[in-house]
Amino acid sequence: MFSRITGTGSYLPEKILTNLDLERIVDTSDEWIRTRTGITQRHIAAEDQVASDLALYACQNAMLAAGVTGKDIDLIIVATTTPDMIFPSTACILQNKLGIENCPAFDVQAVCSGFIYALATADMFVSSGKCRNALVVGSEIYSKILDWSDRNTCVLFGDGAGAVVLSRSDRPGILSTHLHASGSYSNILSAPGCISGGKVQGTPYISMEGNAVFKFAVKVLEEVVHEAVAENNLQSTDLDWLIPHQANIRIIQSTAKKLGLSMEKVVVAVDKHGNTSAASIPLALDIAVRDGRIQPDQLILMEGVGGGFTWGAVLLRW
């Protein structure tokens, strides 16, 4: 028994914030942002939108593509760092908005690796026979946890959601999953605030040591890709597509170079979306599926790294 992705979907908020717009908000420039990150614009959620709202649209698109309805879904996993509220989980709120009843629903918090963690978890449920169709979603509203006076972080992130339907299959889809974490690096990328006594203790905004994150990300992303292909008796050059976490074009380019992959084999969406954390991989996947780049029987590797640090990869046959 195997699991396969049978449908993809995504959603981006209507508001677009360009680099030129940011020039009027913070001390930065379009050239500085583009040359260092590859980002030209990002989408920003409306004040009244929450993560489950973005996830709802992405899921509806994925379910339509998969040809399933709410009655067919028997598991919902939402990867998010920006949940609707402390509790209940965003997955439970999403379940209600979708009109789905009586199936397991829970959140996964692994920051930018969240979708990889969620997909690996769903694969265990589906391939073991515990469920038939799982909704796996990455949904983020990072605009709510950004310090808009900090030019080192506010230019990097955007809002959005991406989703897949993972279904039981008699032929291999997901070939292997690989998850890692190292909490010893938690101080170089975090949003360290917490709630105590009804007040926020510490800062709720993103804090990042950019150079340290870059070096760590390139190192572990190369390692986890080699781990995935080696376990399946393949070479990195056997991959048809690499779909990386969309954090920074330099990280993406450096990883591809170390793996010996042409950028023509890499799906890039960071220029239009910025870093959407757990949503970035399924957003990029949906783009490449819908524009026809991804074709049946192709070999695809998705990989990501995020605060924690967490990192991981999923190797699959489309």
Side-chain angles (χ1 to χ4, degrees):
M1 195 176 297
F2 305 100
S3 71
R4 297 184 68 86
I5 293 176
T6 54
T8 66
S10 60
Y11 173 77
L12 292 162
E14 291 183 10
K15 181 180 177 181
I16 295 175
L17 187 70
T18 68
N19 292 346
L20 295 178
D21 294 328
L22 281 170
E23 288 181 356
R24 295 189 285 269
I25 297 173
V26 68
D27 182 18
T28 191
S29 70
D30 172 59
E31 182 184 8
W32 189 93
I33 298 169
R34 280 189 294 105
T35 56
R36 286 164 177 78
T37 71
I39 301 168
T40 60
Q41 65 176 47
R42 69 286 296 148
H43 291 251
I44 304 296
E47 283 294 323
D48 60 351
Q49 283 185 310
V50 290
S52 64
D53 293 327
L54 276 56
L56 174 63
Y57 294 120
C59 287
Q60 288 172 335
N61 290 332
M63 291 166 65
L64 184 63
V68 299
T69 68
K71 294 180 180 179
D72 301 309
I73 301 299
D74 43 18
L75 174 66
I76 300 172
I77 305 178
V78 175
T80 186
T81 318
T82 53
D84 290 13
M85 57 184 73
I86 296 173
F87 71 84
S89 70
T90 301
C92 282
I93 297 170
L94 173 63
Q95 180 196 53
N96 182 58
K97 289 181 178 180
L98 286 166
I100 298 172
E101 297 182 358
N102 197 29
C103 79
F106 57 89
D107 290 356
V108 168
Q109 217 285 44
V111 199
C112 301
S113 304
F115 180 76
I116 297 296
Y117 267 64
L119 189 60
T121 303
D123 171 59
M124 296 178 192
F125 277 88
V126 176
S127 61
S128 66
K130 294 292 185 182
C131 70
R132 286 186 173 275
N133 298 289
L135 269 176
V136 187
V137 198
S139 184
E140 302 281 19
I141 303 184
Y142 262 54
S143 58
K144 294 184 178 181
I145 59 171
L146 289 174
D147 178 354
W148 289 97
S149 67
D150 179 8
R151 68 175 185 174
N152 294 316
T153 56
C154 74
V155 303
L156 301 176
F157 297 92
D159 304 335
V164 302
V165 175
L166 190 69
S167 303
R168 192 182 301 178
S169 174
D170 58 2
R171 59 191 181 97
I174 291 184
L175 303 177
S176 64
T177 63
H178 309 266
L179 304 179
H180 300 275
S182 179
S184 62
Y185 293 93
S186 61
N187 61 314
I188 66 175
L189 178 57
S190 63
C194 65
I195 295 176
S196 178
K199 297 180 180 179
V200 176
Q201 304 293 325
T203 175
Y205 298 127
I206 295 172
S207 172
M208 181 176 67
E209 297 178 23
N211 289 335
V213 171
F214 181 94
K215 292 177 182 178
F216 185 88
V218 172
K219 175 180 180 292
V220 298
L221 290 176
E222 179 191 6
E223 290 174 350
V224 79
V225 172
H226 284 310
E227 176 188 340
V229 295
E231 182 169 308
N232 292 274
N233 298 313
L234 298 166
Q235 302 292 328
S236 58
T237 51
D238 292 323
L239 298 173
D240 290 296
W241 293 104
L242 176 69
I243 305 181
H245 166 49
Q246 308 289 311
N248 180 309
I249 192 61
R250 289 184 173 182
I251 294 176
I252 295 171
Q253 290 171 337
S254 296
T255 303
K257 184 177 180 180
K258 285 180 174 291
L259 295 171
L261 289 176
S262 163
M263 284 299 293
E264 293 179 355
K265 284 191 168 186
V266 182
V267 178
V268 176
V270 68
D271 55 328
K272 301 298 184 183
H273 301 165
N275 183 345
T276 54
S277 191
S280 79
I281 293 173
L283 270 168
L285 172 65
D286 186 51
I287 290 171
V289 168
R290 291 176 184 270
D291 68 18
R293 273 179 285 177
I294 293 179
Q295 293 292 314
D297 204 42
Q298 288 185 329
L299 194 62
I300 299 164
L301 192 138
M302 299 182 286
E303 42 89 353
V305 58
F309 262 94
T310 63
W311 65 100
V314 174
L315 182 67
L316 60 90
R317 182 74 64 180
W318 194 251

